[in-house]
Amino acid sequence: MPITLNQLEVMVRQAGDVAMRYFNDLESLAVSKKSARDLVTDADVAVEQYLKQALGEQCPEYGFWGEESGQTANQISRWIVDPIDGTHSFSRGQYFWGISVALEIDGQIVMGAVYGPALDDYYSAELGKGAWKNGKPIRVSAEAELGSSMISTGFACLRSYLEHNNLERFCRIAQATTGQRRFGSAALDLCLVADGQVDAFWEQELNLYDVAAGALIALEAGGTVTDFKGNSGIFPKQILATNAKILDQLLPLM
Ligand code: IPD
Ligand code: CA
Ligand code: CA
């Protein structure tokens, strides 16, 4: 691996410092709309520019795909970056937003980091080597009963005005579980599955940059990552991450 998790952490934490300068001065924050319900701020752009420059200097052989600046030529081995996942929350001064950075080589996510600067929580994973939160190993929860579980989800599909908007699925599963949450950052939602804070997370209509890092972290913490039918893999349009123990009980309700 041309970069270590520790070297990546230095850069991602510095990106967090860039984000926090904007977060601590929201009155000056420029917010614009990419579509009717999709926001972007100066912070998103500044964080992505920092990461593109820093990662490019560290690993010039890799390409880059950022939510705000798009894709460079090399998309075989590339960094996949969501500079601020949870922009709407960020723009309102809420704490649950994260910086998501994944390294994909020949179609395989091999390294991932999700950093929540306002939460001061840093999650990371390397393929086959485990997952960590703030330097300590993490594992998914032990909850084996769907009826006692806590789940989280999101509604990207509502932003896109889709007919299949997750509301019926949410109501069905909410009645079969004990706790339900909508935190507002899919990247961090996946890390909460990895950390055992929730037992499952699902969402439709995301993009690879929302989920690439968080999915590796959930897998390396002993979780499952599938589509809504249980097919293993990272499917941004239909992502379901669980603690593995409740997957079979959840699938019939998906
Ligand atoms: C959003 C967050 C949110 C999800 C939205 C995404 P963004 O990312 O991940 O949790 O529900 O669909 O768009 O737009 O803030 O980078
Ligand atoms: Ca996102
Ligand atoms: Ca984003």
Side-chain angles (χ1 to χ4, degrees):
M1 195 68 70
I3 183 173
T4 65
L5 275 180
N6 288 340
Q7 289 171 314
L8 179 61
E9 181 168 354
V10 170
M11 287 183 273
V12 174
R13 285 188 177 275
Q14 286 171 342
D17 293 343
V18 174
M20 287 305 290
R21 285 199 290 272
Y22 288 88
F23 190 66
N24 291 328
D25 185 17
L26 290 177
E27 288 182 4
S28 309
L29 184 70
V31 182
S32 55
K33 288 196 170 185
K34 293 191 279 190
S35 67
R37 293 179 175 173
D38 198 3
L39 306 181
V40 60
T41 74
D42 284 357
D44 297 77
V45 174
V47 169
E48 183 163 317
Q49 281 175 344
Y50 166 77
L51 285 168
K52 188 170 184 178
Q53 176 266 332
L55 292 168
E57 280 178 10
Q58 180 81 27
C59 306
E61 69 277 23
Y62 290 143
F64 187 90
W65 175 20
E67 177 178 2
E68 309 309 341
S69 62
Q71 298 182 346
T72 61
N74 177 0
Q75 290 300 302
I76 304 301
S77 299
R78 58 184 178 174
W79 294 103
I80 302 173
V81 171
D82 188 340
I84 294 180
D85 183 65
T87 296
H88 205 175
S89 301
F90 179 98
S91 71
R92 305 298 291 268
Q94 297 167 11
Y95 286 15
F96 204 87
W97 50 272
I99 299 170
S100 181
V101 179
L103 177 59
E104 182 190 62
I105 296 177
D106 295 330
Q108 175 73 59
I109 307 295
V110 297
M111 185 178 277
V114 176
Y115 178 34
L119 302 168
D120 197 21
D121 279 337
Y122 187 93
Y123 297 88
S124 64
E126 190 169 345
L127 183 62
K129 296 188 178 177
W132 295 269
K133 174 186 178 184
N134 301 331
K136 293 180 182 170
I138 53 175
R139 297 294 295 174
V140 294
S141 69
E143 182 55 64
E145 294 301 325
L146 183 65
S148 306
S149 68
M150 177 181 282
I151 55 84
S152 70
T153 188
F155 295 93
C157 31
L158 274 180
R159 184 179 65 229
S160 309
Y161 302 90
L162 297 183
E163 179 191 352
H164 299 293
N165 58 19
N166 192 37
L167 290 174
E168 283 183 25
R169 177 182 299 109
F170 174 72
C171 290
R172 189 164 57 240
I173 295 171
Q175 295 176 79
T177 52
T178 291
Q180 305 79 27
R181 297 289 185 273
R182 198 286 192 248
F183 290 108
S185 166
L188 279 172
D189 281 309
L190 289 162
C191 293
L192 295 197
V193 174
D195 192 32
Q197 295 185 44
V198 296
D199 307 308
F201 163 75
W202 76 88
E203 189 159 351
Q204 300 158 257
E205 299 309 311
L206 290 171
N207 290 286
L208 188 56
Y209 45 70
D210 295 303
V211 301
L216 179 67
I217 293 165
L219 286 166
E220 287 296 322
T224 62
V225 175
T226 67
D227 64 9
F228 291 179
K229 292 184 174 61
N231 299 304
S232 293
I234 302 174
F235 304 97
K237 298 303 179 192
Q238 256 200 22
I239 189 161
L240 168 63
T242 80
N243 67 359
K245 304 159 189 77
I246 65 168
L247 175 62
D248 291 344
Q249 299 165 65
L250 191 52
L251 283 174
L253 301 177
M254 291 301 293

